[in-house]
Amino acid sequence: MRKINFFDTTLRDGEQSAGVNLNSQEKMEIAKQLEKLGVDVMEAGFPASSSLDFQSVKNIAKEIRGCSVTGLARSVKGDIDAAWEALKDGEEPRLHVFIATSPIHRLHKLKKTPEQVIQTAVDSVKYAAKTFPFIQWSAEDACRTELPFLAEIVGEVIKAGAKVINLPDTVGYNHPKEYGEIFRYIRENVPGAENVILSAHCHDDLGMATSNSLAAIENGAGQIEGTINGIGERAGNAALEEIAVALHTRSDFYNARSGLQLNEIKKTSEMVSKLTGMVIPGNKAVVGNNAFAHESGIHQDGVLKEKTTYEIITPELVGVASNSLVLGKHSGKHAFKNKLESLGYLLTEDELIKSFQSFKNLSEKKKEFTDEDLTAIVMEEKLSNGEAAYDLQSIQVQYGTNNITTATVSMLDQNKNLLNEAATGAGSVEAIYNTLERCIGEEIHLKDYRIQSNRSGRDAFAQVYVKIDFQGKEANGRGLAQDVLEASAKAYVNAVNRVLLLKQEQKEKTEVSI
Ligand code: KIV
Ligand code: ZN
């Protein structure tokens, strides 16, 4: 069976999703989980885009050993140099360099003739080959490029040294038949195409990213690119978990397989969802909460008689936990540690102490902790900003249907001064946020607020996501608590702390956009 390489771009294209901004610690956590999942290539970022992205790609390249770490670069020397500096300590440094090839992009964005585009592409690959042992070249907007021109430029960059040729459907425009045709055309019309890996990179604007990626595989693609949960620009990228499970389930049809550890899918998906704040729809293929729920009587009856009547993939295949009750108030640190290890979390002593303390505090109010609860606690502690500027001490809310809602908040600032404030609001959350704004003493605009329970049941944790605009920066924040108002307050303070941390980390930053 043909092995298809899986190229994950959750940390680059995925991070380009509107409203997502991961800090370097969160990116590292995701990178480690992607390594466990078994991706072949991981695009850790776009090193030339900012000093923060540069540093985070560098850290990931140094740390990750199980796969090749790559970074994106435009076809300019500065980007390629930055990518080399960031990636050179990796196990297998790999450059991902691109240029747009379609007439629309050539004319309006690049303002280059077709010949100039070819020359720029060839020069960039030749320049990169002086340092990088492995180069992937991408034709941005390949799908809206004239096929003879696409074939010509692909032939030239292969001669220049590119080893992987990526043909993105940048705007999610193609029908699977058309997309597959492009791969067939390139294989049949480009001398040297047989010596490189052809790669698919699909966006989901028309909901066809997974089908298009599979069509590319049918037509000879040896690599597919995508993100976990399909996050990414606009409607997102192809969801890697969907393609991997499709190849597994329909291996009879595709005669191809991924190298992914399929039972790490659910955990990876939940981690990406938690850290990005991008909620997974219940009906999402493979990882949605309803993906294995049989609701109608006829279906339930069928599944009870024989699972395969309505179940083509099992929850176990993708690592859906049985969600057994595991720990309670009287569980000790040893049992806590063992359980976390069985869930795949290896904590440092400091992380363990903090997580266990948090578990103990929560167990004052909550009797039973499931795998999901423990995962939520650990993620929260692992990713709490160590030197947070503001530290929430307590909140109190007075609410009545006929009264004015009032909140009182105590909080420590960066110098450990205790701040006490009170304010009113139309509702409890508004009252809390007005009070926090007063404590912080600066304007904060709330751009988004979402609340979710981490599982079913009355005593489930509340997980709140907010997006704020503070000191000219947008940031999201997360808060986890038994109580929805406490989770709301935590998320708000977390977002403020993230802006302050980002500003502190951001010494000289040169933003560019793709
Ligand atoms: O969608 C796209 O074309 C891209 C390229 C930069 C590879 O993400
Ligand atoms: Zn893309």
Side-chain angles (χ1 to χ4, degrees):
M1 219 185 283
R2 208 155 60 92
K3 154 102 189 317
I4 306 297
N5 287 345
F6 272 55
F7 176 118
D8 178 277
T9 181
T10 304
L11 297 175
R12 200 276 298 168
D13 223 334
E15 221 242 349
Q16 285 173 223
S17 307
V20 171
N21 58 4
L22 298 165
N23 63 32
S24 49
Q25 198 190 352
E26 291 162 339
K27 286 184 185 171
M28 181 62 88
E29 278 308 312
I30 293 177
K32 287 182 185 164
Q33 182 55 33
L34 290 171
E35 186 185 18
K36 272 196 203 157
L37 178 66
V39 300
D40 301 281
V41 188
M42 180 190 303
E43 187 163 51
F46 180 12
S49 67
S50 73
S51 55
L52 287 183
D53 221 25
F54 174 87
Q55 199 49 49
S56 126
V57 174
K58 196 169 176 64
N59 296 344
I60 292 172
K62 262 192 185 156
E63 175 82 19
I64 299 297
R65 282 294 167 263
C67 65
S68 174
V69 176
T70 191
L72 187 69
R74 294 167 300 178
S75 299
V76 293
K77 287 182 177 173
D79 278 24
I80 298 169
D81 292 341
W84 175 246
E85 279 310 308
L87 294 163
K88 65 183 181 192
D89 299 324
E91 191 165 52
E92 190 197 277
R94 179 186 292 235
L95 179 71
H96 180 191
V97 62
F98 77 99
I99 193 164
T101 53
S102 67
I104 301 174
H105 281 242
R106 291 191 316 249
L107 189 69
H108 301 290
K109 191 177 87 176
L110 300 178
K111 302 192 193 314
K112 283 188 194 289
T113 63
E115 295 71 30
Q116 287 170 326
V117 172
I118 294 181
Q119 195 56 53
T120 310
V122 168
D123 290 347
S124 68
V125 173
K126 283 190 174 157
Y127 181 74
K130 291 183 188 165
T131 44
F132 280 94
F134 201 100
I135 299 162
Q136 163 167 331
W137 179 83
S138 283
E140 191 189 15
D141 207 15
C143 293
R144 294 189 296 169
T145 302
E146 315 88 321
L147 281 177
F149 178 70
L150 189 63
E152 187 184 348
I153 191 166
V154 166
E156 293 304 320
V157 293
I158 291 176
K159 278 193 247 160
K163 303 239 174 57
V164 174
I165 300 295
N166 185 37
L167 304 171
D169 185 3
T170 303
V171 290
Y173 181 73
N174 264 180
H175 179 276
K177 235 178 158 179
E178 292 172 300
Y179 195 55
E181 267 304 298
I182 295 176
F183 284 76
R184 199 186 53 77
Y185 184 90
I186 295 296
R187 278 198 299 121
E188 290 177 358
N189 292 282
V190 177
E194 66 284 4
N195 302 323
V196 297
I197 297 174
L198 295 184
S199 169
H201 175 115
C202 300
H203 282 266
D204 207 30
D205 299 64
L206 297 176
M208 293 193 280
T210 299
S211 313
N212 280 343
S213 307
L214 291 165
I217 291 173
E218 282 181 77
N219 284 278
Q223 173 175 289
I224 54 103
E225 304 191 3
T227 58
I228 300 300
N229 300 337
I231 65 170
E233 281 271 1
R234 308 181 308 279
N237 289 58
L240 287 183
E241 67 279 4
E242 291 179 13
I243 302 167
V245 171
L247 290 183
H248 174 86
T249 309
R250 296 306 315 275
S251 58
D252 59 321
F253 182 80
Y254 291 108
N255 201 24
R257 64 175 179 89
S258 77
L260 296 195
Q261 298 297 323
L262 300 182
N263 59 4
E264 288 289 333
I265 283 180
K266 184 70 179 174
K267 186 172 169 199
T268 316
S269 157
E270 282 184 350
M271 180 186 282
V272 169
S273 168
K274 272 209 168 63
L275 299 189
T276 57
M278 295 198 70
V279 176
I280 306 165
N283 65 336
K284 161 86 177 61
V286 177
V287 289
N289 278 340
N290 296 345
F292 305 100
H294 303 283
E295 192 64 27
S296 90
I298 296 174
H299 286 211
Q300 286 176 351
D301 179 54
V303 169
L304 285 173
K305 287 176 176 148
E306 167 54 47
K307 271 193 176 180
T308 53
T309 47
Y310 291 103
E311 205 169 86
I312 60 161
I313 45 177
T314 63
E316 294 77 31
L317 177 76
V318 295
V320 173
S322 58
N323 213 18
S324 52
L325 296 179
V326 286
L327 295 184
K329 189 179 169 122
H330 300 295
S331 305
K333 193 167 146 199
H334 196 63
F336 181 76
K337 182 172 177 240
N338 281 350
K339 184 65 207 173
L340 290 176
E341 280 176 5
S342 78
L343 292 174
Y345 294 104
L346 297 175
L347 304 187
T348 62
E349 191 53 28
D350 187 45
E351 286 167 348
L352 178 65
I353 290 170
K354 283 192 195 149
S355 304
F356 185 63
Q357 190 51 53
S358 168
F359 162 72
K360 278 288 168 196
N361 294 343
L362 288 161
S363 69
E364 293 298 321
K365 292 183 192 158
K366 183 176 168 70
K367 280 203 221 95
E368 294 158 339
F369 289 77
T370 63
D371 291 353
E372 281 175 0
D373 294 329
L374 294 173
T375 300
I377 293 173
V378 169
M379 290 311 296
E380 209 58 22
E381 279 309 324
K382 249 173 137 29
L383 298 166
S384 63
N385 307 318
E387 298 108 44
Y390 291 100
D391 188 6
L392 191 66
Q393 298 292 297
S394 67
I395 57 167
Q396 194 180 336
V397 181
Q398 205 174 14
Y399 172 81
T401 35
N402 300 322
N403 297 337
I404 294 173
T405 309
T406 312
T408 314
V409 167
S410 295
M411 189 157 82
L412 291 176
D413 71 7
Q414 47 267 67
N415 302 319
K416 305 281 173 230
N417 298 317
L418 187 64
L419 311 169
N420 291 309
E421 285 292 351
T424 59
S428 302
V429 173
E430 196 198 350
I432 292 171
Y433 288 179
N434 289 344
T435 314
L436 287 170
E437 195 178 43
R438 234 176 232 185
C439 286
I440 290 159
E442 286 178 71
E443 253 181 51
I444 305 169
H445 297 282
L446 183 67
K447 312 280 283 188
D448 196 9
Y449 172 94
R450 270 172 288 145
I451 184 159
Q452 214 193 354
S453 75
N454 80 321
R455 63 180 175 89
S456 56
R458 286 186 195 191
D459 70 342
F461 287 137
Q463 176 91 59
V464 172
Y465 296 95
V466 296
K467 184 155 82 166
I468 61 161
D469 194 334
F470 175 55
Q471 297 189 348
K473 290 235 160 285
E474 269 197 1
N476 39 30
R478 297 180 305 273
L480 179 84
Q482 183 87 67
D483 180 85
V484 292
L485 297 181
E486 190 181 332
S488 304
K490 280 183 166 176
Y492 202 72
V493 175
N494 179 246
V496 168
N497 283 337
R498 285 169 64 101
V499 171
L500 297 173
L501 190 73
L502 191 75
K503 289 208 149 182
Q504 191 188 315
E505 279 179 7
Q506 226 167 20
K507 296 198 178 82
E508 22 42 62
K509 185 173 173 201
T510 37
E511 297 265 19
V512 295
S513 56
I514 301 171

